[in-house]
Every structure is written in structure tokens, then in C-alpha cells.
Amino acid sequence: MCGIVGYIGKAQAPKVLINGLRRLEYRGYDSAGLAVMDGNQLAVAKAPGKVAALKDRAHAEWPEERFSRASTGIAHTRWATHGPPTEVNAHPHLDQSGDIALVHNGIIENYRALRARLESKGHQFLSETDTEVLAHLIGECNKGDLFQAVCDALHQVEGTFGIAVLSAREPGRIITARRGSPIVIGVGDGETIIASDASAIVAHTQRVIYLDDNDIAIVTAESVDIRDLNNVPVTREIAELGMDASAAEKGGYDHFMLKEIHEQPDSLGNAIRGRLDLNLGTSVLAGMGTSARELADLNRVVIVGCGTSLHAGLVGEYAFEDLADVNAEVQQAAEFRYRNPIVGSRDLVVAISQSGETADTLAAVREAKQKGAFVMSLCNVVGSTIARETGRGVYLHAGPEISVASTKAFTCQVAVLLMMALKIGRGRRFSRDEGLKLARDIEAIPTLVAKVLEQDERIATIAATYVNNEHAFFIGRGPMYPVALEGALKLKEISYIHAEGYHAAELKHGPIALLVEGTPVVALACDIPGKDKVLGNIEECRARGARILGIITEGDHEAAECMDDFIEVPACHPLVATVPAVVALQLFSYHVARLRGCEIDQPRNLAKSVTVE
Ligand code: F6R
């Protein structure tokens, strides 16, 4: 949510910053801005809208030499929280003197009180943002040492921040700090890049330092000096990113979403490879850091997450109960800490988050730790806050997910949850042979998904039939119920068609009142236990004129006859079938949105990585 880039080195800062912002644009794209040092003066350009608009604005307003001269700067792409996405609310914000520029991710919770105090001292604010208040506060604290001024100001703020600060009076350095909002520093050869996310760094260097909460760094082209807010030096290791720059490119696809959908056989292969033990019929997930005895003694698994990750958790709930013979429940991360959850030392709390930065999921992790539960995470972004705070868990290895709509992270989350259930189940109920059979079913997932992807064109043709509808229902039972929820979420977020996911049995308890001639009902009708009941629910919908698109098992003529349209997925284990089924729905949503002319990778009002509550 919002993206930060900072650069200090030999290259043309405006160019580096704009390229960096482009790579971060998926985190927020309603306005953007940059500030560079031009000689010993700050030059600022801002624009509402996308990074391309900022680039045009800077080229229109700035002399050409500024682009070649400036080698230090900070930049931001915004997802509005305080005030609409206007030019004046865009970052960077300046202090009262105009000498200090600040870009900020996160929320300053006590900004109203700070603003009132600063106004009483004569400060005048131009924007509605909390960030401008912090910029003025830093200016107010500045007695000639920017680093100390930032420390003093940050001592006074409540809330979260990832910041980069530049001062015209100290041109050779950028100050950056974090609390609750990530900052990564790329250590290049004679250049240093600051970013809220490694995808803005990967084109420059693989060597990165992740700041911890309350770290503050003085960054020059040659050095990174990290301290805490009390000016005590701290040591942070340099890590290898291990990320390929091409991962953040579209690679010939029209959209990141389509690329990521098609990457799934590979991403799933990476998530599964080396984690199945086909000798012992179990999985090897060393990162869980739990002994066989602890797993055998588990009382309950509680899964927390938001959005798509929550839906993966719901599939996990079925998997843990069915395969691992352990009570499982899923809780919305946003509710977890406010409902005084009952979890203890024999309960395993699994936090699921692609980004590893989602504020609500992070808060749930902290609450679960407070209560003494066993806490672990399923994150995609290596070194993310949730991954680090849980200290144990399983990385998804899905590769960078740039599309705002999550696809490959979901399928990898499900694959990892199945492997976790296999591991726990093997200690509690499965024989070796049963474990082996399940391990082979999981191993086959990438191939099953590839078979669905082969139908891309056919799915595009089917999608054309549903382009003009404004409402749609998705229904499923058992583990296909969360798939219905996820299918509806995908369709609504990228095509803006109002879509609702329901348990197939729930439709007649109210929502069926909305069915009229031609209303689309997407039915998860794979040949798994409960299929006959879903076919019955489909008949109820057809009787009211609904148009049925079914996801069915390959060759299931009985199911096909109940549908107006159908997409076939290969026959497989009922829990495993959730993965190819969701891939069919991802492609369906993608093509509907494409045919409606939607901005698929940057849907209205959304942003990747929701770091506010
Ligand atoms: C939907 C989507 C969101 C995220 C949610 C949680 O396509 O991407 O619903 O799943 O914001 O994000 P993470 O998984 O990063 O915690």
C-alpha cells in the first residue's frame, strides 16, 4: 500500500526513481511524486493519477539538465488514506521551510494533535495528509542535524511509518526509518536504493538490508549506517535477494495477472518441490519448527488471514479436519485481536499472507503470540514482517506477485496447507500408504493446473457470454465453498461485476430471491462428495431462469447436461481439486474483465499489500 523509492548514487535520480515507482505502482496508483536534489536545492514534481502522469509532469515542468544532474532523490506512489488523491495530497511533502522533503507509508495516528500544536506555532499546512504533519514536525525538530531531527520527531508520533527524508541542507544523505511499514535498502556499487519493496531494487542489486521496526538509517551512496531511535548503532545483515529482475516484468503477456495465472505450474512446482517425502509418505516442512510430539499433541489449528488468503485458509480448514484429524477454524484477521481469542500453548495459529505485511494479519500474529499460542506463517515475500515476527512457517516460493488480484499466491497457499495437513495427519492418523497416496496427489498439482491452462482460449470464449451481466453468484459445497468465495472475489475486484459467493445450500435461504432470467450462477460441481447435492442446487437455480456455468470433472456427462456452459478440470483428490478449479475461475474472471475493458492489474480503489487496519 503506497510505494517508496529513494536513490543516491551516480545515475540520473529522476529516471531511477520513476522506473522504481513503476515497479511499485501495484502498491498504490492514485497519485505520485518525487523530490530530487538539484545542486543544493530541492525540486519537487507531483501529479494525480499514475506514474506515467508524473513522468510527463516532470518533463513538462523541469529543465532537461535537471534530469542529468540530479543523483539523489525520493519518490512515492500513493493509495489515498488521508484526503483524496489530488496533486496537493501527493507525496513528497515539505516542511514549513521547504527545505525538507518526506515520503511516507503508514498512518500517523496522532496527526490531528500534532497538527494543532504545530499550527499554534505558526505552521501552515497545504494538504489534508498526516504525512505533511510529520514533515513539519521534522522541520520543527531540526536544529541543524537531520538525523537527530527525524529521531526526535519519530519519538513523538503514534502509528506506523516507513519513511525517506531528504534535506536541501544535507544533500549527500537520505534518512530512512520504519515502524510497521517495510523498508528495504539495496546496497549497490557506489549507489544505494531505498524502497518499500524489493521489486524496485532488483534491477540495481541483489544485496539488501531489511530494516527492523524502530530502525533508522543514514544512507549515502557508499554507506548505510543503521541505529535505533535513541541513536544506538544496530547491526543488520546484508541478505541476497535471490529475485530475478524479469520476475517484475510482464514477459510478453498483456497483464501481470495473466502472466501470474500462467506461471502457476512453475510456482506450484517451486512451492512443492523438495517438500514431499515419497519414502515415508509425508511432507518435509522444516520451517514449521515443530516436533512430531508437538504436532501429535495439537489441540486446534486456528488460521488467520484476509481476502484471498482467508479463502485459502478456509480450504485449509477442511484439509486439517479431513486429513490431519485436528480441529481447525478460520478467523478473519481483522477480528482476531478484538474478540479476545481463546488460544493457548497447544493451539497452532497459522497466519496466511502473500505480502507478509497485511496490518490486520500482523496484529493477529502479535495477539496470538501474547496468548502463548504456537504461531507460524505462510508468506510469499521473503523477509516480510509477518515472516520475521513469526520466526517459523513455510514460504510459498510463488515468486513476486505483482497483479493486485492474487492468483498464484492462493494456489501455493493451498498447496502448502495440504502439505502441512499431510505432515500433521501422518503423525496422527495416516498409515504410510495413505500418506504416500496423498503426497502423490499433491505432487500432481502442477500438471493438473497445466491442463486447465490449456483451455485458456475456450474459457475466453465462454467468458464473452457473461460480459454484460452486472450480478453473478458463485456456489459450492465442502472445500469448493471457499473456491466459490474466491471466484466471486476475483470477478468482482477486476471486472466490477457484483459477484457473491455462497454455500450452494445457502442460496435458497435468501439470495435465490435475486435470480432472474439470465442471472449467471457459477457452480463448483466437480465430482467430489456432495456433487449430487450441488446438481440439485443447480436445478433450483435453473428453474428460476439462471444461466449456469459449471466447473466440472473432465468427462462428467451427467454434470455437463445440467449446465449452459462448463469448464472441465481433471479428476483428482477432492481437496486437491480446489486448485485446478480456482485456476479455471481465475481465467474466467480475467477474460470477463478484459472484454469489459477493465484495468486488470490496477483495479479501482485497490492496492496490493494492505498495511492499514
Ligand atoms: C485479492 C487480494 C486480497 C489479499 C488480501 C490479503 O485478490 O489480493 O484480498 O488477498 O489483501 O493480502 P495478503 O495475502 O498479502 O495478506
Side-chain angles (χ1 to χ4, degrees):
M1 195 152 251
C2 303
I4 287 178
V5 197
Y7 179 80
I8 182 159
K10 302 169 281 202
Q12 298 178 3
K15 201 170 152 201
V16 174
L17 294 172
I18 286 169
N19 282 342
L21 286 185
R22 278 222 186 91
R23 291 181 183 267
L24 296 185
E25 205 166 18
Y26 70 108
R27 296 180 67 103
Y29 34 80
D30 56 33
S31 54
L34 79 165
V36 295
M37 287 304 311
D38 188 9
N40 50 10
Q41 272 195 324
L42 276 179
V44 179
K46 302 187 196 188
K50 307 231 163 143
V51 173
L54 172 67
K55 186 180 174 198
D56 293 347
R57 177 67 62 89
H59 278 285
E61 287 181 358
W62 286 0
E64 209 43 51
E65 315 84 76
R66 184 169 291 158
F67 285 86
S68 46
R69 258 189 329 239
S71 59
T72 304
I74 56 176
H76 191 261
T77 176
R78 179 168 185 250
W79 185 85
T81 55
H82 294 66
T86 57
E87 183 171 337
V88 79
N89 285 333
H91 303 205
H93 288 282
L94 303 182
D95 75 326
Q96 184 72 32
S97 70
D99 283 345
I100 295 174
L102 166 74
V103 291
H104 165 226
N105 286 353
I107 290 190
I108 307 299
E109 285 163 5
N110 58 338
Y111 83 103
R112 283 196 186 82
L114 292 169
R115 181 171 172 141
R117 204 175 80 206
L118 290 163
E119 276 171 342
S120 73
K121 293 184 173 186
H123 287 253
Q124 288 175 338
F125 293 92
L126 305 173
S127 77
E128 296 159 67
T129 64
D130 52 340
T131 303
E132 192 185 13
V133 175
L134 179 55
H136 279 242
L137 185 62
I138 294 170
E140 178 71 16
C141 295
N142 195 9
K143 308 282 179 275
D145 177 353
L146 181 66
F147 169 79
Q148 195 53 51
V150 176
C151 287
D152 292 346
L154 293 181
H155 275 300
Q156 298 176 52
V157 306
E158 288 161 21
T160 54
F161 52 80
I163 57 168
V165 193
L166 191 58
S167 167
R169 289 182 233 158
E170 298 181 38
R173 51 171 59 183
I174 298 173
I175 309 294
T176 182
R178 76 158 274 175
R179 182 190 294 157
S181 200
I183 292 287
V184 193
I185 302 173
V187 183
D189 184 12
E191 60 178 4
T192 312
I193 310 100
I194 298 160
S196 49
D197 160 340
S199 40
I201 293 178
V202 65
H204 297 267
T205 179
Q206 288 285 321
R207 301 174 74 226
V208 293
I209 300 171
Y210 296 97
L211 290 193
D212 274 354
D213 273 354
N214 298 310
D215 283 355
I216 175 163
I218 305 164
V219 170
T220 71
E222 305 288 347
S223 65
V224 179
D225 176 5
I226 308 175
R227 294 147 190 254
D228 67 15
L229 292 179
N230 296 316
N231 203 1
V232 177
V234 293
T235 309
R236 303 280 171 243
E237 300 298 320
I238 296 186
E240 278 293 309
L241 261 185
M243 188 197 279
D244 180 355
S246 68
E249 307 285 348
K250 283 189 202 147
Y253 287 93
D254 287 344
H255 297 96
F256 279 110
M257 183 178 180
L258 188 62
K259 176 189 175 218
E260 289 162 9
I261 290 173
H262 277 273
E263 270 171 5
Q264 289 176 108
D266 287 342
S267 56
L268 283 158
N270 292 337
I272 295 168
R273 193 172 308 113
R275 288 173 163 170
L276 291 171
D277 183 335
L278 296 175
N279 235 330
L280 295 176
T282 185
S283 64
V284 189
L285 302 170
M288 282 175 71
T290 37
S291 66
R293 163 165 294 212
E294 282 164 336
L295 293 180
D297 269 0
L298 274 187
N299 172 47
R300 197 163 59 117
V301 178
V302 178
I303 304 171
V304 291
C306 301
T308 288
S309 295
L310 184 78
H311 296 158
L314 287 165
V315 178
E317 183 178 354
Y318 284 92
F320 283 118
E321 290 190 354
D322 198 30
L323 308 175
D325 201 19
V326 60
N327 277 324
E329 78 182 74
V330 179
Q331 294 191 19
Q332 284 178 350
E335 273 302 303
F336 188 78
R337 74 167 146 167
Y338 295 113
R339 62 186 285 186
N340 199 10
I342 301 165
V343 286
S345 59
R346 285 180 53 226
D347 297 324
L348 171 64
V349 174
V350 182
I352 307 183
S353 175
Q354 185 285 130
S355 62
E357 302 294 345
T358 300
D360 285 320
T361 311
L362 178 59
V365 162
R366 290 177 178 161
E367 182 63 23
K369 281 168 91 175
Q370 279 294 318
K371 302 249 161 167
F374 241 125
V375 187
M376 64 180 63
S377 59
L378 263 61
C379 292
N380 191 36
V381 178
V382 176
S384 57
T385 308
I386 292 173
R388 287 188 295 149
E389 288 210 10
T390 50
R392 57 172 108 197
V394 187
Y395 277 122
L396 303 178
H397 297 320
E401 191 178 69
I402 308 288
S403 161
V404 166
S406 184
T407 54
K408 60 179 181 171
F410 176 87
T411 48
C412 289
Q413 286 162 349
V414 172
V416 170
L417 285 163
L418 291 176
M419 289 190 287
M420 284 175 78
L422 167 61
K423 184 178 169 77
I424 299 172
R426 185 70 174 92
R428 293 167 75 104
R429 60 172 280 218
F430 279 148
S431 66
R432 177 182 172 275
D433 280 356
E434 287 167 316
L436 208 54
K437 185 167 178 326
L438 181 60
R440 291 217 169 94
D441 288 335
I442 295 172
E443 196 186 27
I445 291 177
T447 314
L448 303 174
V449 166
K451 288 203 171 140
V452 177
L453 295 174
E454 283 167 12
Q455 302 175 62
D456 191 355
E457 266 181 46
R458 182 178 132 70
I459 295 174
T461 310
I462 293 173
T465 319
Y466 295 85
V467 167
N468 295 321
N469 291 95
E470 289 310 320
H471 304 276
F473 292 91
F474 286 68
I475 58 171
R477 284 173 177 259
M480 290 295 175
Y481 164 54
V483 175
L485 297 180
E486 177 57 11
L489 177 62
K490 280 297 84 87
L491 186 66
K492 77 181 105 181
E493 68 182 326
I494 59 167
S495 76
Y496 313 138
I497 292 175
H498 168 226
E500 299 286 349
Y502 279 100
H503 190 281
E506 272 293 312
L507 216 58
K508 57 181 161 297
H509 295 288
I512 203 164
L514 294 170
L515 296 189
V516 292
E517 195 62 35
T519 307
V521 173
V522 181
L524 278 303
C526 296
D527 195 7
I528 63 171
K531 177 194 104 173
D532 290 344
K533 297 208 183 308
V534 176
L535 294 186
N537 300 133
I538 288 171
E539 291 307 337
E540 291 157 11
C541 298
R542 269 159 61 104
R544 277 128 191 118
R547 183 177 181 97
I548 311 292
L549 165 60
I551 308 299
I552 65 171
T553 302
E554 209 172 353
D556 185 348
H557 303 297
E558 183 202 14
E561 274 168 22
C562 304
M563 321 281 174
D564 294 283
D565 305 292
F566 59 84
I567 303 168
E568 291 179 307
V569 299
C572 54
H573 185 286
L575 280 156
V576 167
T578 56
V579 179
V582 87
V583 173
L585 297 185
Q586 293 166 353
L587 279 174
F588 172 71
S589 299
Y590 170 81
H591 287 299
V592 171
R594 180 181 56 79
L595 293 166
R596 284 167 71 96
C598 298
E599 288 223 42
I600 291 175
D601 283 334
Q602 294 171 348
R604 185 171 70 205
N605 302 338
L606 296 180
K608 196 88 174 157
S609 184
V610 182
T611 52
V612 293
E613 264 194 69

